[in-house]
Amino acid sequence: MCGIAGYIHKTELNYNEGIMDGMLEVLAHRGPDSNSHWGNVEEKVFLGHRRLAILDLSDAGKQPMLSNDEELVVVFNGEIYNFDEIRNELKTLGYSFKTGSDTEMILYAYKEWGIEAVSKFIGMFAIVLFDRKHKQVYFIRDRFGVKPLFIFESDKLLMFSSEIKTFYKHPEFEKDINRDVIPLYLKYGYIPTPYSIFTHVRKVRPGHIIQYDVEKGKVVREVTYWEPLAAFNKEKFYNKTEAEITAETVELLKSAFNYRMVADVPVGVFLSGGIDSSLVTALLTKQLGYKLKTFTIGFDNEAYNEAKIAKEVAALLNTEHHEYICTEKEALEIIPQLPFYYDEPFADSSAIPTMLLSKKVRSHVTVALSADGGDEIFGGYTKYYSKGGLYNMLRNSPRILKYPISWGLGMMRRYRRMQGRYDQDAILERAQEIVLAKDKSASFLKKIDYRLFSNYELKKLLKGNYKKVDTAFDVTGNLSANNSEIEKMQSTDVKTYMLDDILVKVDRATMAYSLEGREPLLDHRLFEYVTRIPSGIKFKNNIPKYLLKEIDYSMLPKELLDLPKRGFAVPIQQWLLNELAVFCDTYLSEQEIAASGVFDFQEIQKLRRRFQDKQRRADADRIWRILCFQMWFNHWIKDRD
């Protein structure tokens, strides 16, 4: 694991080695073990790398790495778990290797099979490869987007990096805020791919390859080498029994987990005590024979503490368990650091405990397995079962009733607004949209989003005009009719919430402390298999994560796993009323709001008074999102102008 950065000149800019050093220094937390870069003034390409040594700890594994003939140069963030098999295949074709790293394998896989070689890779990766002979640079991101890759492009140059913050170190960086994505951030708490907070910065899409022609000075093509929706559209396993599917799923899980234990440094597991992390730990210990170190974080507030359940699971599985109970003081000390590590507005408050846990874990191991993706892949969110049925009923309402239903929903919204109740306005707004939508196809439910602010609220809150930009929520017609309503919602979550919230949260939190986070449930082979399981088995009797639970029950007591899950949350509502009030007074002051020029100060005052009076969680979440934006603006824009 590491951080990568670099740039390509389009014009005759002067090369400054100090700029590259500055860009890489900002990424020191991602790679503390070494710092190196390669560049050629005539070729106008400069690649840099910060290393966190995981495989082949010797200096031979350093990057940027050149092929033996020096025709190829690569920088790479992530892990190719099946690199040894691919390397052996290449050896039979006559290639020789100097290192034991997966980086070198990438060079010769490209030399043998071209850029299509990426389809052979099992892993998480952001790769930048310069083909010097053909003057092409390739930007490649893994299938799910576990590893980040940003591109800034102007008339003068193209820059890339694992994190936006490196771009500030280049004098040609243009900090033009993309105001059109601010409504998206406020609705969802993150900025959806491919957009970023800056107009000229984009995220490389997961499963995509961007090809840049150095001589032409432009991107010449962008191709998709893997698409999750295609997996959902494959024929379902209607000819297989539940027992066969369960057995085959277990074998794929074991393969995925085995791969992610490959390292030349100590490996641990984040254990929350929930279905997913318990499954990872149980399979690794009971069926694969690993002796594990497990780690859990809890709070001294019992309403948010799951440490007890995790401790019981660890005892049953005989792991070397480490439990940390963090105080609110420790958690609150993390908050001022959030804008630096999450270097565009990001409002998932569970980033706080994730960072705290990563900090504690790093003193014991260098690699930690997480269990993210289980809800999206195996259908674990309760929202799939509640909102899916409601929205499907609205979607199928008779045409003659659509206007009366919409009118009734509108009256309900107006009545609640008169009471000062905005907590359900976004849900009711979405219900109106579904009733009136012209798109009544089977794929319509795939568009369901889980917005916090309604469009009505945003018009009042935001200053200026904003154009609508399309996201993965707006894509229609890509799923075949053999997918259930739950699967349609899953497909959207994989391309939105999981990608831009969950994976961003874990990547930035772990890398803040030079800890490599691995996602064993996000193995594309497992995903492609599970999407073909009929919903009658996958979500049998409308039980969330039915199949995964049945596998878990075979290894751990059902009564322990079925305890109510609190989620990896913090008492943000309570904090905003007490400890965080001073943050609000500072960053939501009239002066600070005027400085950013984004929000209407009077509307924020109304929101804060309403929250103080009613103390509703939805209003706490609204304030937290605005606060996170203002802290980001203060750190990255105001203080640097």
Side-chain angles (χ1 to χ4, degrees):
M1 191 66 66
C2 53
I4 59 176
Y7 49 90
I8 307 167
H9 288 174
K10 296 182 180 181
T11 61
E12 295 301 323
L13 293 174
N14 292 325
Y15 173 63
N16 185 329
E17 188 170 332
I19 292 175
M20 181 64 84
D21 287 335
M23 293 174 71
L24 293 175
E25 185 59 33
V26 176
L27 294 176
H29 55 285
R30 295 189 75 95
D33 295 330
S34 66
N35 171 5
S36 54
H37 53 81
W38 174 94
N40 186 293
V41 175
E42 291 182 1
E43 292 174 297
K44 302 180 181 180
V45 178
F46 308 94
L47 310 178
H49 184 261
R50 292 289 317 210
R51 188 184 187 200
L52 175 63
I54 302 295
L55 293 170
D56 190 346
L57 308 186
S58 71
D59 287 346
K62 282 185 177 181
Q63 302 178 37
M65 187 177 289
L66 280 75
S67 58
N68 291 333
D69 57 13
E70 299 191 353
E71 288 185 353
L72 305 175
V73 193
V74 69
V75 287
F76 157 53
N77 169 28
E79 307 287 350
I80 311 296
Y81 300 118
N82 64 331
F83 79 97
D84 203 36
E85 293 101 295
I86 300 174
R87 185 172 59 179
N88 287 336
E89 183 178 358
L90 288 166
K91 284 179 179 178
T92 64
L93 295 171
Y95 292 91
S96 59
F97 292 82
K98 297 177 181 178
T99 77
S101 72
D102 47 357
T103 309
E104 189 179 19
M105 178 278 297
I106 294 171
L107 291 168
Y108 299 113
Y110 171 81
K111 189 172 281 288
E112 178 64 26
W113 298 297
I115 203 62
E116 293 77 15
V118 69
S119 296
K120 289 177 169 282
F121 299 168
I122 298 172
M124 54 180 187
F125 44 85
I127 302 169
V128 178
L129 188 148
F130 178 29
D131 183 333
R132 301 174 72 189
K133 181 178 179 180
H134 297 99
K135 313 292 187 189
Q136 305 296 308
V137 180
Y138 298 93
F139 302 90
I140 310 163
R141 196 173 179 195
D142 67 69
R143 295 170 179 86
F144 291 104
V146 178
K147 291 293 99 185
L149 185 55
F150 295 90
I151 289 177
F152 164 84
E153 189 169 10
S154 70
D155 293 338
K156 294 182 179 180
L157 82 166
L158 180 148
M159 288 192 286
F160 69 89
S161 182
S162 300
E163 297 182 10
I164 293 175
K165 61 176 64 67
T166 63
F167 298 153
Y168 290 84
K169 293 297 182 179
H170 200 291
E172 296 295 332
F173 180 46
E174 300 171 14
K175 297 184 295 181
D176 297 332
I177 292 178
N178 184 357
R179 294 178 67 87
D180 295 334
V181 303
I182 294 176
L184 297 175
Y185 161 73
L186 291 170
K187 284 182 179 182
Y188 310 124
Y190 55 84
I191 297 172
T193 298
Y195 309 107
S196 84
I197 190 59
F198 294 114
T199 303
H200 301 292
V201 176
R202 60 170 163 159
K203 299 158 187 164
V204 177
R205 298 174 192 266
H208 277 232
I209 302 169
I210 293 176
Q211 182 178 345
Y212 180 91
D213 188 301
V214 177
E215 291 186 330
K216 293 180 180 178
K218 65 178 183 179
V219 171
V220 291
R221 68 168 182 156
E222 181 172 355
V223 297
T224 304
Y225 70 88
W226 191 82
E227 166 57 58
L229 299 184
F232 280 101
N233 285 338
K234 290 181 180 178
E235 186 179 355
K236 306 295 183 185
F237 295 132
Y238 294 118
N239 60 335
K240 294 187 179 184
T241 66
E242 181 178 330
E244 289 173 324
I245 285 172
T246 301
E248 290 171 358
T249 301
V250 168
E251 289 306 308
L252 279 168
L253 287 166
K254 287 160 67 174
S255 173
F257 295 0
N258 249 332
Y259 269 135
R260 284 152 183 86
M261 290 298 291
V262 175
D264 295 328
V265 293
V267 180
V269 177
F270 290 156
L271 177 62
S272 70
I275 292 291
D276 302 334
S277 64
S278 296
L279 174 81
V280 172
T281 310
L283 266 177
L284 284 170
T285 54
K286 285 201 162 187
Q287 297 204 24
L288 297 173
Y290 289 99
K291 177 64 177 176
L292 293 178
K293 293 181 179 181
T294 52
F295 303 90
T296 301
I297 195 167
F299 288 92
D300 46 13
N301 184 330
E302 278 301 310
Y304 295 86
N305 187 15
E306 289 192 326
K308 291 181 179 178
I309 302 173
K311 189 174 183 178
E312 290 186 54
V313 172
L316 287 168
L317 298 175
N318 194 31
T319 70
E320 181 187 318
H321 190 58
H322 300 263
E323 177 185 294
Y324 305 102
I325 303 298
C326 290
T327 65
E328 289 188 351
K329 179 178 181 295
E330 288 179 290
L332 291 166
E333 287 173 350
I334 288 287
I335 292 175
Q337 302 176 44
L338 294 177
F340 176 78
Y341 291 108
Y342 295 86
D343 49 5
E344 62 178 357
F346 184 77
D348 187 339
S349 59
S350 65
I352 299 167
T354 308
M355 286 188 69
L356 284 168
L357 181 57
S358 299
K359 182 179 181 180
K360 301 290 187 181
V361 169
R362 184 59 177 92
S363 62
H364 296 274
V365 298
T366 311
V367 175
L369 272 58
S370 187
D372 301 302
D375 288 308
E376 290 82 2
I377 295 172
F378 287 91
Y381 292 126
T382 55
K383 65 187 180 184
Y384 294 155
Y385 304 87
S386 55
K387 289 187 176 66
L390 170 64
Y391 288 158
N392 194 35
M393 179 183 70
L394 292 172
R395 177 172 65 91
N396 292 320
S397 58
R399 181 177 300 179
I400 196 172
L401 294 178
K402 67 177 181 178
Y403 289 110
I405 291 173
S406 176
W407 179 86
L409 290 168
M411 289 298 295
M412 191 183 304
R413 291 178 68 191
R414 285 189 285 274
Y415 175 71
R416 292 173 71 89
R417 288 179 203 155
M418 289 172 60
Q419 294 180 309
R421 295 289 302 274
Y422 291 85
D423 49 318
Q424 299 292 315
D425 199 59
I427 295 175
L428 294 171
E429 177 184 70
R430 183 59 176 152
Q432 279 188 289
E433 290 175 3
I434 289 173
V435 171
L436 296 175
K438 294 180 181 180
D439 180 1
K440 297 294 183 181
S441 67
S443 65
F444 183 73
L445 274 179
K446 190 176 72 65
K447 293 171 60 177
I448 289 178
D449 56 33
Y450 302 94
R451 63 187 74 165
L452 178 62
F453 285 90
S454 66
N455 291 321
Y456 173 83
E457 291 177 282
L458 291 174
K459 286 179 182 178
K460 296 177 66 178
L461 178 63
L462 294 172
K463 287 185 172 183
N465 297 317
Y466 297 82
K467 291 186 295 185
K468 183 183 183 302
V469 292
D470 288 337
T471 69
F473 290 113
D474 302 299
V475 178
T476 60
N478 288 326
L479 284 183
S480 61
N482 68 340
N483 288 288
S484 68
E485 308 300 351
I486 293 173
E487 287 168 319
K488 292 161 192 169
M489 288 185 280
Q490 283 180 283
S491 70
T492 297
D493 270 342
V494 167
K495 294 173 72 69
T496 55
Y497 176 64
M498 187 182 83
L499 166 63
D500 292 311
D501 187 311
I502 300 298
L503 296 180
V504 170
K505 174 185 69 179
V506 175
D507 174 79
R508 306 304 191 276
T510 52
M511 294 312 297
Y513 301 101
S514 306
L515 177 71
E516 177 175 296
R518 294 182 178 179
E519 305 287 359
L521 291 175
L522 294 183
D523 185 297
H524 74 278
R525 301 166 304 151
L526 175 66
F527 180 85
E528 290 171 352
Y529 184 89
V530 173
T531 54
R532 298 185 65 186
I533 299 174
S535 57
I537 295 176
K538 194 162 34 182
F539 324 118
K540 192 173 182 178
N541 299 323
N542 265 353
I543 298 173
K545 270 192 295 203
Y546 167 81
L547 186 64
L548 212 57
K549 287 179 179 178
E550 290 300 306
I551 297 170
D552 245 338
Y553 295 155
S554 68
M555 296 178 288
L556 289 165
K558 185 176 185 294
E559 58 272 15
L560 179 61
L561 294 170
D562 284 351
L563 289 172
K565 185 168 175 58
R566 296 179 177 91
F568 206 34
V570 295
I572 203 71
Q573 184 176 357
Q574 176 186 325
W575 289 354
L576 285 170
L577 290 167
N578 299 289
E579 294 88 345
L580 280 181
V582 66
F583 281 76
C584 293
D585 291 340
T586 300
Y587 293 104
L588 304 185
S589 68
E590 187 169 9
Q591 181 180 359
E592 291 294 318
I593 294 299
S596 68
V598 171
F599 304 107
D600 185 299
F601 176 69
Q602 297 303 322
E603 288 299 318
I604 290 177
Q605 288 292 87
K606 290 178 186 178
L607 175 59
R608 291 188 66 187
R609 285 195 294 268
R610 190 172 78 214
F611 174 59
Q612 290 286 341
D613 183 35
K614 304 295 184 180
Q615 298 185 15
R616 297 191 183 103
R617 175 61 195 245
D619 284 336
D621 291 338
R622 288 175 172 87
I623 292 171
W624 175 249
R625 288 188 186 180
I626 297 169
L627 178 62
C628 288
F629 180 92
Q630 286 294 119
M631 288 194 297
W632 170 83
F633 182 88
N634 188 277
H635 183 93
W636 288 111
I637 306 299
K638 182 185 174 186
D639 286 352
R640 294 165 188 270
D641 286 343

